[in-house]
Amino acid sequence: MLLRPGLEFGGDYNPEQWDATTWPHDVRLMRETGVTMVTVGVFSWSWLEPAPGSFDFAWLDQVMDLCADTDIGVDLATATASPPPWLTHEYPEVLPVDKLGHRLWPGSRQAYCPSSTAFQTRAATLVDRLATRYGSHPALRLWHVGNEYANHVTSCWCAVCAEAFRRWLADRYVTVADLNQAWGTAFWSQRYSSFDEIHPPRLTPSFGNPAQALDFRRFSCAQHLACFTNERDILRRITPEVPVTTNFMSFSDVVDCWRWADEVDVVSNDHYLKAADADNHVELAFNADLTRGLSRRRPWLLMEHSTSAVNWQPRNVAKRPGEMLRNSLQHVARGADGVLFFQWRQSQAGAERFHSAIVPHAGTDSRVWREATDLGSVLARLAPVAGSRVDSEVALIFDYESAWALEGEAMPTVDVSYRDRAIAFHAALWREGITVDMVPPGADLSSYRLVLVPTLHLVRDRDAAAIEAYVRAGGHVVITYFSGIVDEHTHVRLNGYPGAFRDLLGVRSEEFCPLRQDEHVSLVGPDGQRVGSADVWTEDLTCDTSTSIMTYLDGPVAGRPAVTRNDYGAGRAWYLATRTDEDTTFALLQQICAEAGVAPATSTPAGVEVVRRTGPKGAFHFVLNHTDEAVVVQIGGLDLVSGAAGDSHHVEAGGVAVISAPDQDSP
Ligand code: GAL
């Protein structure tokens, strides 16, 4: 349970876009549809402070009072996600600058430089005023700082940031000699004699320095975090009892969400389906599991998703009937204790006019509204689920810094992406009905039977040692190609790949042999029979202590091992040295799970997802039927969605059941 008994339901509410006469009607409708919490004021700075130092809280007073009168909680935004025009007019240096030196202008949103003192000072004043005014308001339930930090402005390359970057580097390296060492500046005559000579990685004639690029991402992450803590600390001082969140995009390019998660009271996340992906519910599961990981397995809040289509993809596909309920409960199945949407009422003007909402342009005589109302009542019936947990026997190490390092310039191939194997492994286990916990490098792995390590390109010595110690003590691990290659400064680990994991895996590779675009190689088992195919990556690998499980039949390293297994200490370490196709990945992971003693809790037809949450109020099996056929599942209990009780349950095509039963495993 996060903020109140039961699950939260609601969305972003932007009353300033509507005439005040709409507001009482809005809160009545919210009540009707079962809304428990709304996020107010995310982009309302210019309404709260229309001119420098001149505040207008009258409209927000009215909205807060209306919410309190109707028992709707408010997740009150600090409204600093978008500076008002007067701020950037008065302090043009607040506007961010891109890598090419272009200033980004007002007229959209998030147009601020994360190192700008003017921005932070003005933001602090507004936050102080908001906290003082609404700190004890009965509607206030949660503080919502900023919005999706670094979504649009990942980094800023302006002169202020350049200076801040130099200071950050001086703090980190202390001497310029140490920086030269860490950045490998002997290469291409980049040796610095003072911190003053250093620039952010702006446009250069050829490839930039990879260590500089990585440090700039770390710096950018730190600058955005400082903007967040600047506001959060004011809130904590004035309203220490009110929890604080900021909505993550857990797949961020700059925000290291593991670091940020320690700074919030409640982890919240925004997730939008990729319309082009027909199986986008599988990616949804990954994203939700990652968010549960960020929340250190505690319940979290889905701060935003959409009731139907978004408006920012090339083709914005409307959700099919039942899909929104299924998406929502899929997040709840994987640990969310609340489901909120962007946004309550579909805008009539502005850049997001064609983005769906709970109250669409068509009004309440609409399918979307009726489905939202159904969702409200389902979530109310699911109140006993609040506070329960998801247990997993498999962990996946997810690392933002590896993604940043791996997706840099001048790599062996453009076809390796960090997320690819993470998503593929997760999808294989999703297909098998096995839930996965996401953990950061260095996490305590002792409670897991199996640990997946996809493309952990950058790894610190201590984090590699933690994986090795886990296997030595009896754990099972799967590591993929291009892992363990560089240290925290992007320096390559020498004497054979995959550097940090060579001993653990019992292999040694002399050379990477990436494949041409669309080139495939065949894989054969020990008996010479073809078992599958692979693409993107091969390497010139030899087994030391390990056994070859699959070899290449053709391609640049025909006859070499492609998949190996090494018994190490009391455990076992697998190496997948190539990008195995979907079915081969599935079959391998099935075998590896079986050897590690990991089995799905229930067996269900393909495309039917079952996830179990357990807590003091019992066990809850979420059954999500992503197929076009009705199914019967052999799980006994009371379905909190339909109200049916029995030893088995019929779940409609595209339907959902949440079957509640006393937890057998509880004492
Ligand atoms: C999010 C953002 C919202 C809204 C939404 C549209 O990234 O936080 O304010 O723009 O996307 O999908």
PDB file of all heavy atoms in Angstrom, residues 387-398:
ATOM      1  N   GLY A 387      -0.198  -3.349  -1.484  1.00  0.00           N
ATOM      2  CA  GLY A 387       0.851  -3.691  -0.521  1.00  0.00           C
ATOM      3  C   GLY A 387       1.454  -5.066  -0.727  1.00  0.00           C
ATOM      4  O   GLY A 387       2.474  -5.392  -0.121  1.00  0.00           O
ATOM      5  N   SER A 388       0.823  -5.895  -1.578  1.00  0.00           N
ATOM      6  CA  SER A 388       1.372  -7.239  -1.782  1.00  0.00           C
ATOM      7  C   SER A 388       2.582  -7.169  -2.717  1.00  0.00           C
ATOM      8  O   SER A 388       2.818  -6.164  -3.375  1.00  0.00           O
ATOM      9  CB  SER A 388       0.296  -8.172  -2.326  1.00  0.00           C
ATOM     10  OG  SER A 388      -0.199  -7.678  -3.548  1.00  0.00           O
ATOM     11  N   ARG A 389       3.332  -8.249  -2.760  1.00  0.00           N
ATOM     12  CA  ARG A 389       4.613  -8.269  -3.479  1.00  0.00           C
ATOM     13  C   ARG A 389       4.643  -9.339  -4.558  1.00  0.00           C
ATOM     14  O   ARG A 389       3.881 -10.302  -4.502  1.00  0.00           O
ATOM     15  CB  ARG A 389       5.758  -8.609  -2.506  1.00  0.00           C
ATOM     16  CG  ARG A 389       5.791  -7.758  -1.269  1.00  0.00           C
ATOM     17  CD  ARG A 389       6.715  -6.594  -1.501  1.00  0.00           C
ATOM     18  NE  ARG A 389       6.791  -5.768  -0.316  1.00  0.00           N
ATOM     19  CZ  ARG A 389       7.915  -5.259   0.155  1.00  0.00           C
ATOM     20  NH1 ARG A 389       9.049  -5.495  -0.439  1.00  0.00           N
ATOM     21  NH2 ARG A 389       7.901  -4.493   1.216  1.00  0.00           N
ATOM     22  N   VAL A 390       5.579  -9.173  -5.467  1.00  0.00           N
ATOM     23  CA  VAL A 390       5.826 -10.192  -6.506  1.00  0.00           C
ATOM     24  C   VAL A 390       7.157 -10.866  -6.150  1.00  0.00           C
ATOM     25  O   VAL A 390       8.130 -10.176  -5.850  1.00  0.00           O
ATOM     26  CB  VAL A 390       5.969  -9.521  -7.892  1.00  0.00           C
ATOM     27  CG1 VAL A 390       6.263 -10.544  -8.972  1.00  0.00           C
ATOM     28  CG2 VAL A 390       4.722  -8.705  -8.226  1.00  0.00           C
ATOM     29  N   ASP A 391       7.184 -12.185  -6.152  1.00  0.00           N
ATOM     30  CA  ASP A 391       8.441 -12.884  -5.858  1.00  0.00           C
ATOM     31  C   ASP A 391       9.013 -13.495  -7.122  1.00  0.00           C
ATOM     32  O   ASP A 391       8.275 -14.048  -7.930  1.00  0.00           O
ATOM     33  CB  ASP A 391       8.212 -14.001  -4.830  1.00  0.00           C
ATOM     34  CG  ASP A 391       7.963 -13.414  -3.459  1.00  0.00           C
ATOM     35  OD1 ASP A 391       8.690 -12.477  -3.094  1.00  0.00           O
ATOM     36  OD2 ASP A 391       7.021 -13.870  -2.782  1.00  0.00           O
ATOM     37  N   SER A 392      10.324 -13.433  -7.272  1.00  0.00           N
ATOM     38  CA  SER A 392      10.986 -14.017  -8.449  1.00  0.00           C
ATOM     39  C   SER A 392      12.199 -14.817  -8.014  1.00  0.00           C
ATOM     40  O   SER A 392      12.843 -14.482  -7.027  1.00  0.00           O
ATOM     41  CB  SER A 392      11.492 -12.917  -9.381  1.00  0.00           C
ATOM     42  OG  SER A 392      10.484 -12.002  -9.659  1.00  0.00           O
ATOM     43  N   GLU A 393      12.473 -15.828  -8.802  1.00  0.00           N
ATOM     44  CA  GLU A 393      13.677 -16.625  -8.542  1.00  0.00           C
ATOM     45  C   GLU A 393      14.790 -16.278  -9.521  1.00  0.00           C
ATOM     46  O   GLU A 393      15.874 -16.817  -9.457  1.00  0.00           O
ATOM     47  CB  GLU A 393      13.340 -18.113  -8.675  1.00  0.00           C
ATOM     48  CG  GLU A 393      12.367 -18.575  -7.603  1.00  0.00           C
ATOM     49  CD  GLU A 393      12.006 -20.039  -7.767  1.00  0.00           C
ATOM     50  OE1 GLU A 393      11.879 -20.491  -8.918  1.00  0.00           O
ATOM     51  OE2 GLU A 393      11.853 -20.715  -6.738  1.00  0.00           O
ATOM     52  N   VAL A 394      14.456 -15.397 -10.467  1.00  0.00           N
ATOM     53  CA  VAL A 394      15.421 -15.014 -11.499  1.00  0.00           C
ATOM     54  C   VAL A 394      15.649 -13.507 -11.420  1.00  0.00           C
ATOM     55  O   VAL A 394      14.699 -12.743 -11.273  1.00  0.00           O
ATOM     56  CB  VAL A 394      14.879 -15.364 -12.904  1.00  0.00           C
ATOM     57  CG1 VAL A 394      15.885 -14.990 -13.983  1.00  0.00           C
ATOM     58  CG2 VAL A 394      14.511 -16.832 -12.993  1.00  0.00           C
ATOM     59  N   ALA A 395      16.913 -13.116 -11.505  1.00  0.00           N
ATOM     60  CA  ALA A 395      17.225 -11.678 -11.549  1.00  0.00           C
ATOM     61  C   ALA A 395      17.883 -11.357 -12.878  1.00  0.00           C
ATOM     62  O   ALA A 395      18.556 -12.208 -13.468  1.00  0.00           O
ATOM     63  CB  ALA A 395      18.171 -11.313 -10.412  1.00  0.00           C
ATOM     64  N   LEU A 396      17.661 -10.131 -13.336  1.00  0.00           N
ATOM     65  CA  LEU A 396      18.334  -9.648 -14.540  1.00  0.00           C
ATOM     66  C   LEU A 396      19.076  -8.372 -14.154  1.00  0.00           C
ATOM     67  O   LEU A 396      18.473  -7.447 -13.593  1.00  0.00           O
ATOM     68  CB  LEU A 396      17.303  -9.388 -15.637  1.00  0.00           C
ATOM     69  CG  LEU A 396      17.822  -8.991 -17.022  1.00  0.00           C
ATOM     70  CD1 LEU A 396      16.842  -9.440 -18.110  1.00  0.00           C
ATOM     71  CD2 LEU A 396      18.059  -7.497 -17.163  1.00  0.00           C
ATOM     72  N   ILE A 397      20.373  -8.348 -14.405  1.00  0.00           N
ATOM     73  CA  ILE A 397      21.158  -7.153 -14.055  1.00  0.00           C
ATOM     74  C   ILE A 397      20.971  -6.119 -15.156  1.00  0.00           C
ATOM     75  O   ILE A 397      21.298  -6.366 -16.319  1.00  0.00           O
ATOM     76  CB  ILE A 397      22.646  -7.512 -13.864  1.00  0.00           C
ATOM     77  CG1 ILE A 397      22.784  -8.474 -12.675  1.00  0.00           C
ATOM     78  CG2 ILE A 397      23.484  -6.247 -13.657  1.00  0.00           C
ATOM     79  CD1 ILE A 397      24.202  -8.884 -12.327  1.00  0.00           C
ATOM     80  N   PHE A 398      20.393  -4.994 -14.776  1.00  0.00           N
ATOM     81  CA  PHE A 398      20.111  -3.923 -15.735  1.00  0.00           C
ATOM     82  C   PHE A 398      20.965  -2.720 -15.351  1.00  0.00           C
ATOM     83  O   PHE A 398      20.960  -2.286 -14.208  1.00  0.00           O
ATOM     84  CB  PHE A 398      18.618  -3.552 -15.691  1.00  0.00           C
ATOM     85  CG  PHE A 398      18.223  -2.608 -16.788  1.00  0.00           C
ATOM     86  CD1 PHE A 398      17.874  -3.094 -18.041  1.00  0.00           C
ATOM     87  CD2 PHE A 398      18.216  -1.234 -16.581  1.00  0.00           C
ATOM     88  CE1 PHE A 398      17.531  -2.223 -19.074  1.00  0.00           C
ATOM     89  CE2 PHE A 398      17.868  -0.361 -17.609  1.00  0.00           C
ATOM     90  CZ  PHE A 398      17.515  -0.864 -18.851  1.00  0.00           C
TER      91      PHE A 398
END
